[in-house]
Amino acid sequence: MELDFKEAIGLMKQGKEEGFNKLYFATYNKVYFRAKECTKTESDAQDLVQITYLEAYKNIDKLQAPEATLSWLYTICYNQACKMYRSERDKKEFLLTEESEGIFDTIESVDISTMPELSV
């Protein structure tokens, strides 16, 4: 059953839950598989799908061409996956091996407040 995206988008723009439900059930599998391609784990894929539909719901007024709905959802999914990746990457901590212990002990401070001769 092919969904008439124009009808579903129109209902969503009117704030009707029925429009969102129609869109969600018609596109869920495709968006899920796109999310699965972009993520490493099942839980990340499920989170990404939720984020994608939330962003679509919040930004439904920005969709100009209802016939491009699926491409629009794919783009949202991809962009949100990139954001997830960047936030995960930024959270990673560096772990030092035993050989690299003390590597920062030999670095001199360049903080002027600890060197009164340079702050004068």
Side-chain angles (χ1 to χ4, degrees):
M1 175 180 101
E2 186 64 31
L3 172 72
D4 179 15
F5 287 122
K6 192 171 188 175
E7 177 188 353
I9 299 303
L11 290 170
M12 283 179 69
K13 286 184 178 184
Q14 294 173 14
K16 297 187 178 178
E17 186 178 338
E18 176 188 354
F20 178 82
N21 290 340
K22 284 183 177 185
L23 179 70
Y24 180 83
F25 289 115
T27 60
Y28 174 82
N29 285 338
K30 293 176 182 178
V31 172
Y32 170 77
F33 286 113
R34 179 59 57 108
K36 189 74 171 146
E37 288 176 346
C38 295
T39 59
K40 297 176 184 171
T41 65
E42 177 71 22
S43 64
D44 285 346
Q46 291 173 354
D47 289 346
L48 183 54
V49 169
Q50 284 184 330
I51 293 167
T52 298
Y53 282 105
L54 180 62
E55 288 298 313
Y57 182 77
K58 290 190 317 190
N59 295 297
I60 193 64
D61 290 329
K62 294 179 182 176
L63 179 62
Q64 299 295 319
E67 60 275 3
T69 301
L70 196 55
S71 297
W72 183 63
L73 288 170
Y74 285 164
T75 301
I76 293 171
C77 184
Y78 177 78
N79 289 339
Q80 293 301 318
C82 290
K83 283 183 183 179
M84 285 174 66
Y85 173 75
R86 282 192 299 269
S87 69
E88 284 179 22
R89 184 190 65 200
D90 293 342
K91 289 179 187 177
K92 289 190 179 183
E93 297 178 9
F94 291 99
L95 298 176
L96 299 177
T97 62
E98 287 181 20
E99 295 103 28
S100 56
E101 274 187 42
I103 192 169
F104 297 112
D105 295 341
T106 59
I107 298 175
E108 291 186 28
S109 174
V110 290
D111 185 7
I112 294 177
S113 64
T114 62
M115 296 182 218
E117 67 277 3
L118 293 179
S119 61
V120 173

